[in-house]
């Protein structure tokens, strides 16, 4: 006989979701009641979950399966009518968003710490997505956090673990558990947006090759289904394609530092024409050409400027949104197209209202995130397919497309310098120091340039009027250059200070400068104004993207 058990517990003070859900060390999630408390907080704080259908799954990282078994049993004990679970517990973030929207589900629980490392000593994460398929907006995460501070018990169904590897349905009390293949659902959505026949012709022509790096995270199986099975790319096109609990010891972050195997292939003699990688949960992307890196900010701008070439987007571009630290390359495209451009705080949750209201079609972040109105998350494979479809239409190289774009719109030199794992107090001191200088900064000269404006970014959502303050310090110069300082909201150790640097160059004769050289004055100015080296004791960033 199966029974519902009520377990008494005590609140944990630190279950406040960050930029993208609750992220902690695996060890923390393994602390008795820690996972259960947070999950019960979701079930109590989100209205209307009783009797509803939700989807669940994760990026396959260490603790994914164990956590899913617990969450499914808790769902059954909390009156959920049906849960759809990705086969093998695997569900990419974009696939979750796709399924929520396609089947009109109440929401979804996604287990991922995205690009953070996995394994027993790595990170784990959990986030709740709402009925539009997107991340919970702040009023929902606030309600979940508030609930977590008042926990005294949680409910769980006592039952054997379920088999999550075989598609089909089973009952857990009054709840139906449906194991399904999310790859089929996702591929179908991509087929509705892109010209698969054209892309297949390009690949089968023998004159074009691509490599996709799954980074041993969730995207491998989706990428194989699309590139190798559906588009006819040779076996081996997808590298590191099996989701592994520890991501093969790697760091599933698709950038020039962590996707080094892919970068080496792209920079080798006779390397592929298109290279791409995705992160732990499949929502990020990196786009590379032969010996050429496309910054995510440029990628957003190029995508918007070429949208008319793509079947799913011809004639329906309503607007573009980018997070504040993302370069302003997309703004120039929006201006020339005569459409609106929105500047939001960091994190995909801020795009949801704009997308729901039909105000924007494309969204992007400098942190390797690009997406569109097709779902409510950023979407790694979608971006790769967009580029592939563009290449098939334009018969140009990745580098050629970007250089043409710069010629037309100018180039926004852009870089992000991360100081990871900094002592939290030192990080606060750095931010506080800059904050204090803000009022006097206007008109001041910094690194040879005059400051036009300096403030701490706050955002009023144009759709529901919600206000979000403290979203990053920005210094804007008279020539349009910018320096932005932010503390990361996704780390699990100490603090991470992010410095974003941007400089606009209209002259095509000056589009060939090394990015760090082009930004050298701004980098020096950022160091001077923040005193980051003196305060943190670090003489250089740990990651430059
Ligand atoms: C980082 C990025 C942000 C992104 C977030 C989630 O947040 O900067 O742009 O939305 O990660 O991405 P932060 O607070 O550490 O800067 V993912 O791929 O983790 O869902
Ligand atoms: Co991610």
């Amino acid at each position: 006989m199966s029974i519902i058990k009520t377990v008494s517990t005590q609140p944990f003070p630190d279950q406040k979701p960050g930029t993208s859900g609750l992220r902690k060390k695996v060890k923390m999630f393994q602390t008795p009641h820690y996972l259960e408390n947070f999950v019960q907080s979701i079930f109590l704080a989100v209205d209307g979950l009783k009797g509803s259908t939700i989807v669940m799954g994760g990026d396959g990282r260490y603790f994914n399966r164990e956590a899913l078994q617990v969450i499914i049993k808790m769902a059954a004990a909390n009156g959920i009518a049906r849960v759809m679970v990705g086969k093998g517990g695997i569900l990419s973030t974009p696939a979750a968003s796709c399924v929520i929207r396609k089947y009109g589900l109440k929401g979804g629980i996604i287990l991922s710490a995205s690009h953070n490392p996995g394994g027993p000593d790595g990170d784990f994460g959990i986030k709740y997505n709402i009925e539009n398929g997107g991340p919970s907006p702040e009023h929902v995460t606030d309600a979940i956090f508030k609930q977590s501070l008042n926990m005294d018990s949680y409910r769980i169904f006592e039952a054997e673990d379920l088999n999550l590897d075989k598609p089909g349905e089973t009952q857990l009390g009054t709840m139906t558990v449906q194991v399904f293949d999310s790859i089929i659902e996702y591929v179908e959505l991509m087929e509705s947006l892109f010209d698969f026949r054209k892309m297949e012709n390009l690949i089968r022509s023998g004159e074009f090759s691509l490599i996709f790096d799954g980074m041993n995270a969730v995207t491998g199986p989706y990428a194989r289904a699309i590139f190798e099975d559906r588009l006819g790319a040779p076996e081996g096109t997808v590298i590191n394609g099996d989701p592994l609990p520890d991501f093969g010891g790697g760091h599933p972050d698709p950038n020039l530092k962590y996707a080094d195997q892919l970068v080496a292939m792209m920079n080798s003699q006779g390397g592929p024409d298109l290279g791409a990688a995705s992160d732990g949960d499949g929502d990020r992307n990196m786009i590379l050409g032969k010996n050429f890196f496309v910054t995510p900010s440029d990628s957003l701008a190029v995508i918007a400027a070429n949208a008319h070439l793509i079947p799913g987007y011809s004639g329906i571009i309503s607007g573009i949104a980018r997070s504040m630290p993302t370069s302003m390359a997309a703004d120039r495209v929006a201006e020339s197209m005569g459409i609106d451009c929105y500047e939001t705080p960091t994190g995909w949750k801020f795009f949801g209202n704009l997308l729901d209201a039909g105000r924007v079609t494309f969204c992007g972040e400098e942190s390797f995130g690009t997406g569109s109105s097709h779902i409510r998350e950023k979407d790694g494979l979608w971006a790769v397919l967009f580029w592939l479809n563009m290449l098939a239409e334009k018969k140009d190289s990745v580098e050629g497309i970007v250089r043409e774009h710069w010629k037309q719109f100018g180039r926004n030199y852009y870089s992000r310098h991360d100081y990871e794992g900094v002592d939290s107090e030192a990080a606060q001191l750095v931010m506080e120091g800059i904050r204090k200088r803000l009022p006097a900064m206007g008109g001041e000269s910094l690194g040879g340039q005059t400051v036009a404006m300096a403030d701490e970014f706050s955002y009023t959502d144009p759709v529901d009027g919600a206000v979000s303050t403290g979203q990053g310090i920005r210094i804007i110069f008279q020539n349009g250059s910018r320096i932005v300082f932010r503390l990361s909201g996704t780390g699990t150790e100490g603090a991470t200070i992010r410095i974003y640097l941007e400089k606009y160059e209209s002259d095509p004769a000056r589009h060939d400068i090394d990015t760090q050289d082009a930004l050298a004055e701004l980098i020096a100015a950022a160091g001077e104004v923040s005193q980051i080296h003196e305060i943190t004791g670090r003489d250089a960033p740990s990651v430059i993207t």
Side-chain angles (χ1 to χ4, degrees):
M1 201 188 68
S2 39
I3 46 158
I4 291 173
K5 211 166 69 167
T6 300
V7 182
S8 60
T9 183
Q10 285 187 343
F12 292 90
D14 65 344
Q15 298 196 321
K16 188 175 171 59
T19 313
S20 180
L22 182 70
R23 286 192 197 166
K24 299 283 173 196
K25 291 274 165 218
V26 166
K27 294 247 152 57
M28 187 47 121
F29 270 105
Q30 288 170 327
T31 307
H33 311 319
Y34 194 86
L35 169 71
E36 291 85 347
N37 268 25
F38 189 71
V39 172
Q40 185 67 50
S41 301
I42 296 174
F43 289 139
L44 291 174
V46 177
D47 285 335
L49 276 172
K50 268 208 182 89
S52 73
T53 302
I54 58 175
V55 68
M56 279 180 207
D59 63 12
R61 69 177 59 225
Y62 185 83
F63 198 52
N64 190 61
R65 280 177 179 266
E66 293 84 340
L68 260 182
Q69 296 287 353
V70 169
I71 299 169
I72 293 169
K73 290 171 196 171
M74 288 185 66
N78 277 279
I80 308 296
R82 171 185 284 263
V83 294
M84 294 174 69
V85 185
K87 192 174 78 153
I90 290 291
L91 184 67
S92 76
T93 288
S97 189
C98 156
V99 169
I100 292 172
R101 296 173 67 76
K102 180 168 177 186
Y103 295 107
L105 308 187
K106 171 70 185 157
I109 294 179
I110 305 170
L111 305 181
S112 171
S114 189
H115 51 290
N116 298 19
D121 298 316
D123 292 348
F124 192 75
I126 174 166
K127 58 181 177 173
Y128 180 74
N129 277 28
I130 60 171
E131 55 260 32
N132 74 353
S136 298
E138 280 189 326
H139 70 88
V140 177
T141 50
D142 286 348
I144 295 170
F145 176 51
K146 217 168 137 200
Q147 182 63 53
S148 76
L149 296 174
N150 285 307
M151 293 302 299
D152 54 18
S153 67
Y154 61 83
R155 292 159 67 81
I156 188 160
F157 208 90
E158 281 211 314
E160 294 282 301
D161 278 359
L162 285 104
N163 178 353
L164 301 181
D165 293 307
K166 208 168 130 246
E169 293 190 359
T170 43
Q171 282 300 123
L172 203 56
T174 55
M175 186 178 85
T176 306
V177 180
Q178 178 195 348
V179 176
F180 76 107
D181 186 348
S182 69
I183 294 169
I184 297 169
E185 307 288 350
Y186 182 78
V187 175
E188 204 180 280
L189 176 61
M190 293 302 112
E191 284 180 312
S192 74
L193 300 171
F194 299 108
D195 191 335
F196 270 55
R197 177 134 31 100
K198 242 193 189 127
M199 294 191 287
E200 184 176 353
N201 287 343
L202 176 68
I203 288 173
R204 288 195 191 276
S205 71
E207 281 157 28
F208 177 91
S209 64
L210 83 150
I211 287 285
F212 179 87
D213 189 347
M215 303 194 85
N216 290 314
V218 81
T219 329
Y222 297 86
R224 270 202 200 112
I226 291 177
F227 298 122
E228 296 183 8
D229 302 345
R230 187 67 186 70
L231 293 175
E235 214 176 293
T237 295
V238 176
I239 58 170
N240 302 315
D242 296 318
L244 301 176
D246 67 346
F247 306 122
H251 200 133
D253 198 350
N255 60 33
L256 295 175
K257 175 168 176 176
Y258 295 118
D260 49 349
Q261 182 188 354
L262 174 71
V263 172
M265 289 170 94
M266 296 308 295
N267 294 351
S268 67
Q269 197 75 29
D273 300 282
L274 173 65
S278 192
D279 71 330
D281 62 331
D283 56 0
R284 295 185 176 207
N285 73 91
M286 176 168 69
I287 302 290
L288 301 170
K290 275 184 203 291
N291 255 310
F292 193 82
F293 165 64
V294 185
T295 71
S297 296
D298 278 348
S299 181
L300 173 66
V302 171
I303 280 174
N306 289 285
H308 57 279
L309 299 173
I310 310 299
Y313 299 94
S314 49
I316 60 145
I317 314 302
S318 58
I320 308 174
R322 61 162 176 83
S323 66
M324 186 273 282
T326 302
S327 102
M328 295 168 85
D331 302 37
R332 294 179 184 274
V333 175
E335 199 189 336
S336 90
M337 291 171 83
I339 56 176
D340 288 334
C341 189
Y342 296 85
E343 187 175 48
T344 60
T346 294
W348 212 261
K349 58 185 166 214
F350 295 102
F351 295 135
N353 277 348
L354 296 170
L355 289 163
D356 285 350
R359 292 198 191 201
V360 297
T361 301
F362 297 113
C363 304
E365 293 193 279
E366 49 66 40
S367 53
F368 299 82
T370 339
S372 87
S373 50
H374 69 293
I375 53 171
R376 294 294 179 271
E377 289 276 8
K378 53 189 186 264
D379 190 342
L381 275 174
W382 170 88
V384 183
L385 285 169
F386 206 109
W387 272 89
L388 186 58
N389 202 156
M390 231 167 18
L391 289 164
E393 286 291 342
K394 288 179 86 94
K395 309 252 170 352
D396 197 350
S397 65
V398 170
E399 177 170 356
I401 291 175
V402 176
R403 289 201 178 274
E404 262 315 297
H405 185 92
W406 290 342
K407 236 185 243 162
Q408 190 181 349
F409 296 97
R411 176 172 183 185
N412 291 67
Y413 281 102
Y414 186 85
S415 183
R416 188 176 98 186
H417 290 195
D418 292 333
Y419 292 76
E420 297 174 317
V422 168
D423 172 71
S424 299
E425 266 173 40
Q428 291 299 341
L429 273 179
V430 170
M431 296 302 282
E432 209 33 61
I434 315 168
R435 208 170 272 133
K436 275 205 194 105
R437 290 186 59 176
L438 288 177
M441 232 182 253
E444 201 180 302
S445 171
L446 208 69
Q449 292 294 330
T450 311
V451 176
M453 183 197 115
D455 71 353
E456 189 150 21
F457 181 59
S458 72
Y459 177 69
T460 304
D461 187 305
V463 179
D464 66 12
V467 176
S468 306
T469 56
Q471 298 294 332
I473 295 176
R474 51 183 184 172
I475 302 173
I476 304 174
F477 294 88
Q478 271 173 0
N479 65 358
S481 291
R482 297 193 304 160
I483 304 174
V484 174
F485 298 90
R486 254 188 88 244
L487 292 184
S488 157
T490 56
T492 59
E493 249 176 60
T496 293
I497 306 171
R498 304 199 195 286
I499 305 181
Y500 309 79
L501 306 136
E502 174 178 10
K503 182 184 174 188
Y504 178 68
E505 178 59 66
S506 60
D507 181 3
R510 298 181 53 80
H511 286 170
D512 262 322
I513 307 168
D514 172 79
T515 299
Q516 301 305 314
D517 290 342
L519 297 170
E521 281 183 356
L522 285 172
I523 295 168
E528 180 195 318
V529 78
S530 65
Q531 294 288 300
I532 190 164
H533 306 297
E534 293 78 357
I535 299 174
T536 64
R538 302 278 182 90
D539 53 8
S542 35
V543 183
I544 294 179
T545 48

